[in-house]
Amino acid sequence: FLKNSFEAVKNGESPIDVKNEIEKSRDLVLKHLDEISIEVTDELIYSVALTSANGEEEIAKIVADAFIKAGEYGAVSHLRSNTDETYLDYIDGTLLEGGYASDYFVNNPSDRTVEFSNPLIVLSTGMFKTVRMIQPFLEFALKEQRPIVVVADWSDSQTFSVRDMVISNKVQRQAPFALVNAPSFGNKRRDLLADLALKLGTTCITSLSGDDFLGRELEFLGTCEKIVIGKSDTIITPFKNDELQKEVARLSVNPNA
């Protein structure tokens, strides 16, 4: 399709005319797809799951239930079970593939998790290499008497002194602090945290944000209803976010945006 379009322009056709024809063709294809489309019902989901499971009804029901519960904007993934059981876990919230940076942050010993309600949250694609970078956020949280969670790269040795300072404050002053390892790397990390920032009502710190946040704390502080941090992953339950709902609606209308 593109090859023929470029060829037409090369042979003297107007690029504007070619673009208009491409858009007309696109609209015709979309109209035809709308006409032949069928509604995806729960029964249809189960039917597809049953075929995929080679007729195994128990597996098909689990798969169908997963997609039905996740809904149109949810996500479904599968993991190897540590038992001989096949089962469905439903997570009400956003799953972040990064856990706490130290066992010292654990405040729920029975589950080995960190749990906060209505915490302040800072997201960064990079590292907090100095105490000066992170201190404004910690002091703001103490002043507001709220827990704070800082998601960043805590695996590099350049961050260890900052991490140890936060742990010291947590242990000695019983301050409700937690550090969480940022997920993934590079552009994927940037995109994941940018999406999460939208849900939490904040802005993610990047290399363009500078390294002095004194007086700028509110610009980079988000919040959520509840957060549960495990050793390797974190579940965040955001407050209802009108901006997020608008963005979901926009992408629903234009998936390529």
Side-chain angles (χ1 to χ4, degrees), residues 119-122 134-150 175-177 217 221:
L120 296 168
I121 301 180
V122 179
I134 199 172
Q135 195 164 2
F137 299 113
L138 303 182
E139 290 180 349
F140 186 92
L142 287 172
K143 181 181 176 182
E144 294 294 314
Q145 298 184 329
R146 290 177 65 183
I148 185 168
V149 177
V150 182
F177 297 159
E217 299 93 341
L221 281 169

mmCIF file with all atom_site columns, all heavy atoms in Angstrom, residues 119-122 134-150 175-177 217 221:
data_model
loop_
_atom_site.group_PDB
_atom_site.id
_atom_site.type_symbol
_atom_site.label_atom_id
_atom_site.label_alt_id
_atom_site.label_comp_id
_atom_site.label_asym_id
_atom_site.label_entity_id
_atom_site.label_seq_id
_atom_site.pdbx_PDB_ins_code
_atom_site.Cartn_x
_atom_site.Cartn_y
_atom_site.Cartn_z
_atom_site.occupancy
_atom_site.B_iso_or_equiv
_atom_site.pdbx_formal_charge
_atom_site.auth_seq_id
_atom_site.auth_comp_id
_atom_site.auth_asym_id
_atom_site.auth_atom_id
_atom_site.pdbx_PDB_model_num
ATOM 1   N N   . PRO A 1 119 ? -0.942 7.425  50.804 1.00 0.00 ? 119 PRO A N   1
ATOM 2   C CA  . PRO A 1 119 ? 0.451  7.880  50.873 1.00 0.00 ? 119 PRO A CA  1
ATOM 3   C C   . PRO A 1 119 ? 0.750  8.931  49.808 1.00 0.00 ? 119 PRO A C   1
ATOM 4   O O   . PRO A 1 119 ? 0.026  9.054  48.809 1.00 0.00 ? 119 PRO A O   1
ATOM 5   C CB  . PRO A 1 119 ? 1.238  6.607  50.566 1.00 0.00 ? 119 PRO A CB  1
ATOM 6   C CG  . PRO A 1 119 ? 0.358  5.891  49.573 1.00 0.00 ? 119 PRO A CG  1
ATOM 7   C CD  . PRO A 1 119 ? -1.062 6.174  50.028 1.00 0.00 ? 119 PRO A CD  1
ATOM 8   N N   . LEU A 1 120 ? 1.827  9.665  50.009 1.00 0.00 ? 120 LEU A N   1
ATOM 9   C CA  . LEU A 1 120 ? 2.404  10.495 48.959 1.00 0.00 ? 120 LEU A CA  1
ATOM 10  C C   . LEU A 1 120 ? 3.320  9.593  48.136 1.00 0.00 ? 120 LEU A C   1
ATOM 11  O O   . LEU A 1 120 ? 3.956  8.683  48.683 1.00 0.00 ? 120 LEU A O   1
ATOM 12  C CB  . LEU A 1 120 ? 3.205  11.650 49.558 1.00 0.00 ? 120 LEU A CB  1
ATOM 13  C CG  . LEU A 1 120 ? 2.393  12.659 50.371 1.00 0.00 ? 120 LEU A CG  1
ATOM 14  C CD1 . LEU A 1 120 ? 3.316  13.575 51.162 1.00 0.00 ? 120 LEU A CD1 1
ATOM 15  C CD2 . LEU A 1 120 ? 1.484  13.464 49.459 1.00 0.00 ? 120 LEU A CD2 1
ATOM 16  N N   . ILE A 1 121 ? 3.387  9.836  46.826 1.00 0.00 ? 121 ILE A N   1
ATOM 17  C CA  . ILE A 1 121 ? 4.201  8.984  45.956 1.00 0.00 ? 121 ILE A CA  1
ATOM 18  C C   . ILE A 1 121 ? 5.037  9.843  45.017 1.00 0.00 ? 121 ILE A C   1
ATOM 19  O O   . ILE A 1 121 ? 4.533  10.778 44.386 1.00 0.00 ? 121 ILE A O   1
ATOM 20  C CB  . ILE A 1 121 ? 3.333  8.019  45.122 1.00 0.00 ? 121 ILE A CB  1
ATOM 21  C CG1 . ILE A 1 121 ? 2.498  7.126  46.059 1.00 0.00 ? 121 ILE A CG1 1
ATOM 22  C CG2 . ILE A 1 121 ? 4.198  7.155  44.218 1.00 0.00 ? 121 ILE A CG2 1
ATOM 23  C CD1 . ILE A 1 121 ? 1.614  6.135  45.328 1.00 0.00 ? 121 ILE A CD1 1
ATOM 24  N N   . VAL A 1 122 ? 6.327  9.515  44.926 1.00 0.00 ? 122 VAL A N   1
ATOM 25  C CA  . VAL A 1 122 ? 7.241  10.165 43.994 1.00 0.00 ? 122 VAL A CA  1
ATOM 26  C C   . VAL A 1 122 ? 7.690  9.123  42.973 1.00 0.00 ? 122 VAL A C   1
ATOM 27  O O   . VAL A 1 122 ? 8.071  8.006  43.341 1.00 0.00 ? 122 VAL A O   1
ATOM 28  C CB  . VAL A 1 122 ? 8.483  10.736 44.721 1.00 0.00 ? 122 VAL A CB  1
ATOM 29  C CG1 . VAL A 1 122 ? 9.428  11.392 43.714 1.00 0.00 ? 122 VAL A CG1 1
ATOM 30  C CG2 . VAL A 1 122 ? 8.074  11.726 45.789 1.00 0.00 ? 122 VAL A CG2 1
ATOM 31  N N   . ILE A 1 134 ? 16.453 14.000 47.542 1.00 0.00 ? 134 ILE A N   1
ATOM 32  C CA  . ILE A 1 134 ? 15.256 13.338 48.087 1.00 0.00 ? 134 ILE A CA  1
ATOM 33  C C   . ILE A 1 134 ? 14.723 14.005 49.346 1.00 0.00 ? 134 ILE A C   1
ATOM 34  O O   . ILE A 1 134 ? 13.552 13.883 49.682 1.00 0.00 ? 134 ILE A O   1
ATOM 35  C CB  . ILE A 1 134 ? 15.565 11.839 48.366 1.00 0.00 ? 134 ILE A CB  1
ATOM 36  C CG1 . ILE A 1 134 ? 14.259 11.050 48.483 1.00 0.00 ? 134 ILE A CG1 1
ATOM 37  C CG2 . ILE A 1 134 ? 16.434 11.677 49.613 1.00 0.00 ? 134 ILE A CG2 1
ATOM 38  C CD1 . ILE A 1 134 ? 14.468 9.538  48.566 1.00 0.00 ? 134 ILE A CD1 1
ATOM 39  N N   . GLN A 1 135 ? 15.585 14.760 50.034 1.00 0.00 ? 135 GLN A N   1
ATOM 40  C CA  . GLN A 1 135 ? 15.219 15.327 51.335 1.00 0.00 ? 135 GLN A CA  1
ATOM 41  C C   . GLN A 1 135 ? 13.963 16.209 51.315 1.00 0.00 ? 135 GLN A C   1
ATOM 42  O O   . GLN A 1 135 ? 13.128 16.104 52.223 1.00 0.00 ? 135 GLN A O   1
ATOM 43  C CB  . GLN A 1 135 ? 16.396 16.114 51.915 1.00 0.00 ? 135 GLN A CB  1
ATOM 44  C CG  . GLN A 1 135 ? 16.236 16.421 53.388 1.00 0.00 ? 135 GLN A CG  1
ATOM 45  C CD  . GLN A 1 135 ? 17.541 16.840 54.030 1.00 0.00 ? 135 GLN A CD  1
ATOM 46  O OE1 . GLN A 1 135 ? 18.573 16.947 53.360 1.00 0.00 ? 135 GLN A OE1 1
ATOM 47  N NE2 . GLN A 1 135 ? 17.503 17.079 55.322 1.00 0.00 ? 135 GLN A NE2 1
ATOM 48  N N   . PRO A 1 136 ? 13.768 17.076 50.313 1.00 0.00 ? 136 PRO A N   1
ATOM 49  C CA  . PRO A 1 136 ? 12.554 17.909 50.310 1.00 0.00 ? 136 PRO A CA  1
ATOM 50  C C   . PRO A 1 136 ? 11.261 17.093 50.361 1.00 0.00 ? 136 PRO A C   1
ATOM 51  O O   . PRO A 1 136 ? 10.296 17.488 51.024 1.00 0.00 ? 136 PRO A O   1
ATOM 52  C CB  . PRO A 1 136 ? 12.666 18.697 48.998 1.00 0.00 ? 136 PRO A CB  1
ATOM 53  C CG  . PRO A 1 136 ? 14.126 18.736 48.708 1.00 0.00 ? 136 PRO A CG  1
ATOM 54  C CD  . PRO A 1 136 ? 14.658 17.417 49.176 1.00 0.00 ? 136 PRO A CD  1
ATOM 55  N N   . PHE A 1 137 ? 11.261 15.948 49.681 1.00 0.00 ? 137 PHE A N   1
ATOM 56  C CA  . PHE A 1 137 ? 10.064 15.107 49.667 1.00 0.00 ? 137 PHE A CA  1
ATOM 57  C C   . PHE A 1 137 ? 9.833  14.445 51.027 1.00 0.00 ? 137 PHE A C   1
ATOM 58  O O   . PHE A 1 137 ? 8.694  14.377 51.508 1.00 0.00 ? 137 PHE A O   1
ATOM 59  C CB  . PHE A 1 137 ? 10.194 14.033 48.575 1.00 0.00 ? 137 PHE A CB  1
ATOM 60  C CG  . PHE A 1 137 ? 10.329 14.594 47.187 1.00 0.00 ? 137 PHE A CG  1
ATOM 61  C CD1 . PHE A 1 137 ? 11.510 14.447 46.471 1.00 0.00 ? 137 PHE A CD1 1
ATOM 62  C CD2 . PHE A 1 137 ? 9.277  15.276 46.591 1.00 0.00 ? 137 PHE A CD2 1
ATOM 63  C CE1 . PHE A 1 137 ? 11.642 14.960 45.193 1.00 0.00 ? 137 PHE A CE1 1
ATOM 64  C CE2 . PHE A 1 137 ? 9.385  15.801 45.311 1.00 0.00 ? 137 PHE A CE2 1
ATOM 65  C CZ  . PHE A 1 137 ? 10.580 15.639 44.613 1.00 0.00 ? 137 PHE A CZ  1
ATOM 66  N N   . LEU A 1 138 ? 10.904 13.953 51.642 1.00 0.00 ? 138 LEU A N   1
ATOM 67  C CA  . LEU A 1 138 ? 10.782 13.306 52.948 1.00 0.00 ? 138 LEU A CA  1
ATOM 68  C C   . LEU A 1 138 ? 10.317 14.301 54.007 1.00 0.00 ? 138 LEU A C   1
ATOM 69  O O   . LEU A 1 138 ? 9.438  13.994 54.828 1.00 0.00 ? 138 LEU A O   1
ATOM 70  C CB  . LEU A 1 138 ? 12.117 12.688 53.362 1.00 0.00 ? 138 LEU A CB  1
ATOM 71  C CG  . LEU A 1 138 ? 12.725 11.656 52.388 1.00 0.00 ? 138 LEU A CG  1
ATOM 72  C CD1 . LEU A 1 138 ? 14.023 11.104 52.959 1.00 0.00 ? 138 LEU A CD1 1
ATOM 73  C CD2 . LEU A 1 138 ? 11.739 10.532 52.097 1.00 0.00 ? 138 LEU A CD2 1
ATOM 74  N N   . GLU A 1 139 ? 10.890 15.502 53.989 1.00 0.00 ? 139 GLU A N   1
ATOM 75  C CA  . GLU A 1 139 ? 10.521 16.517 54.978 1.00 0.00 ? 139 GLU A CA  1
ATOM 76  C C   . GLU A 1 139 ? 9.075  16.977 54.771 1.00 0.00 ? 139 GLU A C   1
ATOM 77  O O   . GLU A 1 139 ? 8.351  17.243 55.739 1.00 0.00 ? 139 GLU A O   1
ATOM 78  C CB  . GLU A 1 139 ? 11.476 17.702 54.900 1.00 0.00 ? 139 GLU A CB  1
ATOM 79  C CG  . GLU A 1 139 ? 12.878 17.358 55.402 1.00 0.00 ? 139 GLU A CG  1
ATOM 80  C CD  . GLU A 1 139 ? 13.836 18.532 55.335 1.00 0.00 ? 139 GLU A CD  1
ATOM 81  O OE1 . GLU A 1 139 ? 13.474 19.567 54.706 1.00 0.00 ? 139 GLU A OE1 1
ATOM 82  O OE2 . GLU A 1 139 ? 14.943 18.427 55.896 1.00 0.00 ? 139 GLU A OE2 1
ATOM 83  N N   . PHE A 1 140 ? 8.652  17.078 53.520 1.00 0.00 ? 140 PHE A N   1
ATOM 84  C CA  . PHE A 1 140 ? 7.269  17.459 53.220 1.00 0.00 ? 140 PHE A CA  1
ATOM 85  C C   . PHE A 1 140 ? 6.304  16.416 53.782 1.00 0.00 ? 140 PHE A C   1
ATOM 86  O O   . PHE A 1 140 ? 5.277  16.755 54.389 1.00 0.00 ? 140 PHE A O   1
ATOM 87  C CB  . PHE A 1 140 ? 7.070  17.593 51.709 1.00 0.00 ? 140 PHE A CB  1
ATOM 88  C CG  . PHE A 1 140 ? 5.718  18.116 51.311 1.00 0.00 ? 140 PHE A CG  1
ATOM 89  C CD1 . PHE A 1 140 ? 5.501  19.466 51.131 1.00 0.00 ? 140 PHE A CD1 1
ATOM 90  C CD2 . PHE A 1 140 ? 4.651  17.236 51.124 1.00 0.00 ? 140 PHE A CD2 1
ATOM 91  C CE1 . PHE A 1 140 ? 4.242  19.949 50.771 1.00 0.00 ? 140 PHE A CE1 1
ATOM 92  C CE2 . PHE A 1 140 ? 3.397  17.704 50.762 1.00 0.00 ? 140 PHE A CE2 1
ATOM 93  C CZ  . PHE A 1 140 ? 3.196  19.070 50.582 1.00 0.00 ? 140 PHE A CZ  1
ATOM 94  N N   . ALA A 1 141 ? 6.641  15.134 53.603 1.00 0.00 ? 141 ALA A N   1
ATOM 95  C CA  . ALA A 1 141 ? 5.781  14.049 54.095 1.00 0.00 ? 141 ALA A CA  1
ATOM 96  C C   . ALA A 1 141 ? 5.699  14.066 55.622 1.00 0.00 ? 141 ALA A C   1
ATOM 97  O O   . ALA A 1 141 ? 4.617  13.876 56.194 1.00 0.00 ? 141 ALA A O   1
ATOM 98  C CB  . ALA A 1 141 ? 6.315  12.702 53.606 1.00 0.00 ? 141 ALA A CB  1
ATOM 99  N N   . LEU A 1 142 ? 6.834  14.294 56.275 1.00 0.00 ? 142 LEU A N   1
ATOM 100 C CA  . LEU A 1 142 ? 6.834  14.360 57.741 1.00 0.00 ? 142 LEU A CA  1
ATOM 101 C C   . LEU A 1 142 ? 5.985  15.527 58.237 1.00 0.00 ? 142 LEU A C   1
ATOM 102 O O   . LEU A 1 142 ? 5.234  15.398 59.209 1.00 0.00 ? 142 LEU A O   1
ATOM 103 C CB  . LEU A 1 142 ? 8.272  14.493 58.251 1.00 0.00 ? 142 LEU A CB  1
ATOM 104 C CG  . LEU A 1 142 ? 9.141  13.240 58.151 1.00 0.00 ? 142 LEU A CG  1
ATOM 105 C CD1 . LEU A 1 142 ? 10.590 13.566 58.505 1.00 0.00 ? 142 LEU A CD1 1
ATOM 106 C CD2 . LEU A 1 142 ? 8.610  12.130 59.050 1.00 0.00 ? 142 LEU A CD2 1
ATOM 107 N N   . LYS A 1 143 ? 6.098  16.649 57.552 1.00 0.00 ? 143 LYS A N   1
ATOM 108 C CA  . LYS A 1 143 ? 5.323  17.831 57.931 1.00 0.00 ? 143 LYS A CA  1
ATOM 109 C C   . LYS A 1 143 ? 3.821  17.571 57.773 1.00 0.00 ? 143 LYS A C   1
ATOM 110 O O   . LYS A 1 143 ? 3.009  18.003 58.603 1.00 0.00 ? 143 LYS A O   1
ATOM 111 C CB  . LYS A 1 143 ? 5.748  19.020 57.060 1.00 0.00 ? 143 LYS A CB  1
ATOM 112 C CG  . LYS A 1 143 ? 5.033  20.317 57.388 1.00 0.00 ? 143 LYS A CG  1
ATOM 113 C CD  . LYS A 1 143 ? 5.492  21.437 56.463 1.00 0.00 ? 143 LYS A CD  1
ATOM 114 C CE  . LYS A 1 143 ? 4.709  22.717 56.714 1.00 0.00 ? 143 LYS A CE  1
ATOM 115 N NZ  . LYS A 1 143 ? 5.107  23.803 55.776 1.00 0.00 ? 143 LYS A NZ  1
ATOM 116 N N   . GLU A 1 144 ? 3.463  16.862 56.705 1.00 0.00 ? 144 GLU A N   1
ATOM 117 C CA  . GLU A 1 144 ? 2.049  16.565 56.440 1.00 0.00 ? 144 GLU A CA  1
ATOM 118 C C   . GLU A 1 144 ? 1.562  15.344 57.220 1.00 0.00 ? 144 GLU A C   1
ATOM 119 O O   . GLU A 1 144 ? 0.379  15.012 57.169 1.00 0.00 ? 144 GLU A O   1
ATOM 120 C CB  . GLU A 1 144 ? 1.842  16.307 54.936 1.00 0.00 ? 144 GLU A CB  1
ATOM 121 C CG  . GLU A 1 144 ? 2.090  17.515 54.059 1.00 0.00 ? 144 GLU A CG  1
ATOM 122 C CD  . GLU A 1 144 ? 1.082  18.622 54.302 1.00 0.00 ? 144 GLU A CD  1
ATOM 123 O OE1 . GLU A 1 144 ? -0.134 18.309 54.371 1.00 0.00 ? 144 GLU A OE1 1
ATOM 124 O OE2 . GLU A 1 144 ? 1.499  19.793 54.434 1.00 0.00 ? 144 GLU A OE2 1
ATOM 125 N N   . GLN A 1 145 ? 2.514  14.660 57.900 1.00 0.00 ? 145 GLN A N   1
ATOM 126 C CA  . GLN A 1 145 ? 2.202  13.445 58.661 1.00 0.00 ? 145 GLN A CA  1
ATOM 127 C C   . GLN A 1 145 ? 1.538  12.384 57.789 1.00 0.00 ? 145 GLN A C   1
ATOM 128 O O   . GLN A 1 145 ? 0.509  11.784 58.148 1.00 0.00 ? 145 GLN A O   1
ATOM 129 C CB  . GLN A 1 145 ? 1.317  13.776 59.866 1.00 0.00 ? 145 GLN A CB  1
ATOM 130 C CG  . GLN A 1 145 ? 1.982  14.707 60.869 1.00 0.00 ? 145 GLN A CG  1
ATOM 131 C CD  . GLN A 1 145 ? 1.117  14.944 62.100 1.00 0.00 ? 145 GLN A CD  1
ATOM 132 O OE1 . GLN A 1 145 ? -0.113 14.940 62.030 1.00 0.00 ? 145 GLN A OE1 1
ATOM 133 N NE2 . GLN A 1 145 ? 1.753  15.150 63.249 1.00 0.00 ? 145 GLN A NE2 1
ATOM 134 N N   . ARG A 1 146 ? 2.166  12.170 56.634 1.00 0.00 ? 146 ARG A N   1
ATOM 135 C CA  . ARG A 1 146 ? 1.662  11.157 55.702 1.00 0.00 ? 146 ARG A CA  1
ATOM 136 C C   . ARG A 1 146 ? 2.806  10.231 55.282 1.00 0.00 ? 146 ARG A C   1
ATOM 137 O O   . ARG A 1 146 ? 3.964  10.656 55.233 1.00 0.00 ? 146 ARG A O   1
ATOM 138 C CB  . ARG A 1 146 ? 1.061  11.824 54.456 1.00 0.00 ? 146 ARG A CB  1
ATOM 139 C CG  . ARG A 1 146 ? -0.244 12.546 54.726 1.00 0.00 ? 146 ARG A CG  1
ATOM 140 C CD  . ARG A 1 146 ? -0.746 13.253 53.486 1.00 0.00 ? 146 ARG A CD  1
ATOM 141 N NE  . ARG A 1 146 ? -1.112 12.325 52.420 1.00 0.00 ? 146 ARG A NE  1
ATOM 142 C CZ  . ARG A 1 146 ? -1.524 12.720 51.216 1.00 0.00 ? 146 ARG A CZ  1
ATOM 143 N NH1 . ARG A 1 146 ? -1.601 14.023 50.940 1.00 0.00 ? 146 ARG A NH1 1
ATOM 144 N NH2 . ARG A 1 146 ? -1.841 11.841 50.299 1.00 0.00 ? 146 ARG A NH2 1
ATOM 145 N N   . PRO A 1 147 ? 2.495  8.985  54.986 1.00 0.00 ? 147 PRO A N   1
ATOM 146 C CA  . PRO A 1 147 ? 3.524  8.072  54.472 1.00 0.00 ? 147 PRO A CA  1
ATOM 147 C C   . PRO A 1 147 ? 4.001  8.556  53.110 1.00 0.00 ? 147 PRO A C   1
ATOM 148 O O   . PRO A 1 147 ? 3.274  9.260  52.396 1.00 0.00 ? 147 PRO A O   1
ATOM 149 C CB  . PRO A 1 147 ? 2.793  6.731  54.345 1.00 0.00 ? 147 PRO A CB  1
ATOM 150 C CG  . PRO A 1 147 ? 1.511  6.903  55.071 1.00 0.00 ? 147 PRO A CG  1
ATOM 151 C CD  . PRO A 1 147 ? 1.173  8.350  55.057 1.00 0.00 ? 147 PRO A CD  1
ATOM 152 N N   . ILE A 1 148 ? 5.211  8.163  52.727 1.00 0.00 ? 148 ILE A N   1
ATOM 153 C CA  . ILE A 1 148 ? 5.711  8.511  51.397 1.00 0.00 ? 148 ILE A CA  1
ATOM 154 C C   . ILE A 1 148 ? 6.430  7.310  50.787 1.00 0.00 ? 148 ILE A C   1
ATOM 155 O O   . ILE A 1 148 ? 7.157  6.581  51.476 1.00 0.00 ? 148 ILE A O   1
ATOM 156 C CB  . ILE A 1 148 ? 6.646  9.740  51.429 1.00 0.00 ? 148 ILE A CB  1
ATOM 157 C CG1 . ILE A 1 148 ? 7.035  10.147 49.991 1.00 0.00 ? 148 ILE A CG1 1
ATOM 158 C CG2 . ILE A 1 148 ? 7.874  9.497  52.293 1.00 0.00 ? 148 ILE A CG2 1
ATOM 159 C CD1 . ILE A 1 148 ? 7.698  11.503 49.896 1.00 0.00 ? 148 ILE A CD1 1
ATOM 160 N N   . VAL A 1 149 ? 6.195  7.106  49.499 1.00 0.00 ? 149 VAL A N   1
ATOM 161 C CA  . VAL A 1 149 ? 6.818  6.028  48.736 1.00 0.00 ? 149 VAL A CA  1
ATOM 162 C C   . VAL A 1 149 ? 7.569  6.662  47.568 1.00 0.00 ? 149 VAL A C   1
ATOM 163 O O   . VAL A 1 149 ? 6.995  7.480  46.833 1.00 0.00 ? 149 VAL A O   1
ATOM 164 C CB  . VAL A 1 149 ? 5.759  5.041  48.192 1.00 0.00 ? 149 VAL A CB  1
ATOM 165 C CG1 . VAL A 1 149 ? 6.422  3.973  47.334 1.00 0.00 ? 149 VAL A CG1 1
ATOM 166 C CG2 . VAL A 1 149 ? 4.984  4.407  49.338 1.00 0.00 ? 149 VAL A CG2 1
ATOM 167 N N   . VAL A 1 150 ? 8.841  6.308  47.416 1.00 0.00 ? 150 VAL A N   1
ATOM 168 C CA  . VAL A 1 150 ? 9.648  6.855  46.326 1.00 0.00 ? 150 VAL A CA  1
ATOM 169 C C   . VAL A 1 150 ? 10.041 5.720  45.384 1.00 0.00 ? 150 VAL A C   1
ATOM 170 O O   . VAL A 1 150 ? 10.775 4.801  45.765 1.00 0.00 ? 150 VAL A O   1
ATOM 171 C CB  . VAL A 1 150 ? 10.913 7.566  46.851 1.00 0.00 ? 150 VAL A CB  1
ATOM 172 C CG1 . VAL A 1 150 ? 11.692 8.167  45.675 1.00 0.00 ? 150 VAL A CG1 1
ATOM 173 C CG2 . VAL A 1 150 ? 10.535 8.651  47.852 1.00 0.00 ? 150 VAL A CG2 1
ATOM 174 N N   . ALA A 1 175 ? 9.599  6.563  60.901 1.00 0.00 ? 175 ALA A N   1
ATOM 175 C CA  . ALA A 1 175 ? 8.987  7.358  59.825 1.00 0.00 ? 175 ALA A CA  1
ATOM 176 C C   . ALA A 1 175 ? 8.381  6.419  58.785 1.00 0.00 ? 175 ALA A C   1
ATOM 177 O O   . ALA A 1 175 ? 8.999  5.430  58.401 1.00 0.00 ? 175 ALA A O   1
ATOM 178 C CB  . ALA A 1 175 ? 10.040 8.256  59.180 1.00 0.00 ? 175 ALA A CB  1
ATOM 179 N N   . PRO A 1 176 ? 7.182  6.708  58.314 1.00 0.00 ? 176 PRO A N   1
ATOM 180 C CA  . PRO A 1 176 ? 6.519  5.841  57.326 1.00 0.00 ? 176 PRO A CA  1
ATOM 181 C C   . PRO A 1 176 ? 7.066  6.073  55.911 1.00 0.00 ? 176 PRO A C   1
ATOM 182 O O   . PRO A 1 176 ? 6.397  6.654  55.049 1.00 0.00 ? 176 PRO A O   1
ATOM 183 C CB  . PRO A 1 176 ? 5.044  6.240  57.448 1.00 0.00 ? 176 PRO A CB  1
ATOM 184 C CG  . PRO A 1 176 ? 5.089  7.670  57.880 1.00 0.00 ? 176 PRO A CG  1
ATOM 185 C CD  . PRO A 1 176 ? 6.308  7.827  58.718 1.00 0.00 ? 176 PRO A CD  1
ATOM 186 N N   . PHE A 1 177 ? 8.294  5.644  55.696 1.00 0.00 ? 177 PHE A N   1
ATOM 187 C CA  . PHE A 1 177 ? 8.954  5.789  54.397 1.00 0.00 ? 177 PHE A CA  1
ATOM 188 C C   . PHE A 1 177 ? 9.067  4.417  53.728 1.00 0.00 ? 177 PHE A C   1
ATOM 189 O O   . PHE A 1 177 ? 9.165  3.395  54.407 1.00 0.00 ? 177 PHE A O   1
ATOM 190 C CB  . PHE A 1 177 ? 10.373 6.347  54.551 1.00 0.00 ? 177 PHE A CB  1
ATOM 191 C CG  . PHE A 1 177 ? 10.461 7.728  55.133 1.00 0.00 ? 177 PHE A CG  1
ATOM 192 C CD1 . PHE A 1 177 ? 11.648 8.167  55.711 1.00 0.00 ? 177 PHE A CD1 1
ATOM 193 C CD2 . PHE A 1 177 ? 9.388  8.598  55.107 1.00 0.00 ? 177 PHE A CD2 1
ATOM 194 C CE1 . PHE A 1 177 ? 11.757 9.437  56.252 1.00 0.00 ? 177 PHE A CE1 1
ATOM 195 C CE2 . PHE A 1 177 ? 9.471  9.870  55.645 1.00 0.00 ? 177 PHE A CE2 1
ATOM 196 C CZ  . PHE A 1 177 ? 10.661 10.285 56.225 1.00 0.00 ? 177 PHE A CZ  1
ATOM 197 N N   . GLU A 1 217 ? 8.207  20.515 45.467 1.00 0.00 ? 217 GLU A N   1
ATOM 198 C CA  . GLU A 1 217 ? 7.759  19.178 45.874 1.00 0.00 ? 217 GLU A CA  1
ATOM 199 C C   . GLU A 1 217 ? 6.404  18.810 45.270 1.00 0.00 ? 217 GLU A C   1
ATOM 200 O O   . GLU A 1 217 ? 6.213  17.705 44.756 1.00 0.00 ? 217 GLU A O   1
ATOM 201 C CB  . GLU A 1 217 ? 7.677  19.087 47.409 1.00 0.00 ? 217 GLU A CB  1
ATOM 202 C CG  . GLU A 1 217 ? 8.999  19.307 48.113 1.00 0.00 ? 217 GLU A CG  1
ATOM 203 C CD  . GLU A 1 217 ? 9.201  20.762 48.512 1.00 0.00 ? 217 GLU A CD  1
ATOM 204 O OE1 . GLU A 1 217 ? 8.497  21.633 47.938 1.00 0.00 ? 217 GLU A OE1 1
ATOM 205 O OE2 . GLU A 1 217 ? 10.049 21.023 49.375 1.00 0.00 ? 217 GLU A OE2 1
ATOM 206 N N   . LEU A 1 221 ? 4.653  15.222 43.479 1.00 0.00 ? 221 LEU A N   1
ATOM 207 C CA  . LEU A 1 221 ? 4.036  14.373 44.495 1.00 0.00 ? 221 LEU A CA  1
ATOM 208 C C   . LEU A 1 221 ? 2.639  13.947 44.058 1.00 0.00 ? 221 LEU A C   1
ATOM 209 O O   . LEU A 1 221 ? 1.771  14.776 43.802 1.00 0.00 ? 221 LEU A O   1
ATOM 210 C CB  . LEU A 1 221 ? 3.951  15.110 45.833 1.00 0.00 ? 221 LEU A CB  1
ATOM 211 C CG  . LEU A 1 221 ? 5.239  15.166 46.659 1.00 0.00 ? 221 LEU A CG  1
ATOM 212 C CD1 . LEU A 1 221 ? 5.080  16.149 47.815 1.00 0.00 ? 221 LEU A CD1 1
ATOM 213 C CD2 . LEU A 1 221 ? 5.610  13.786 47.184 1.00 0.00 ? 221 LEU A CD2 1
#
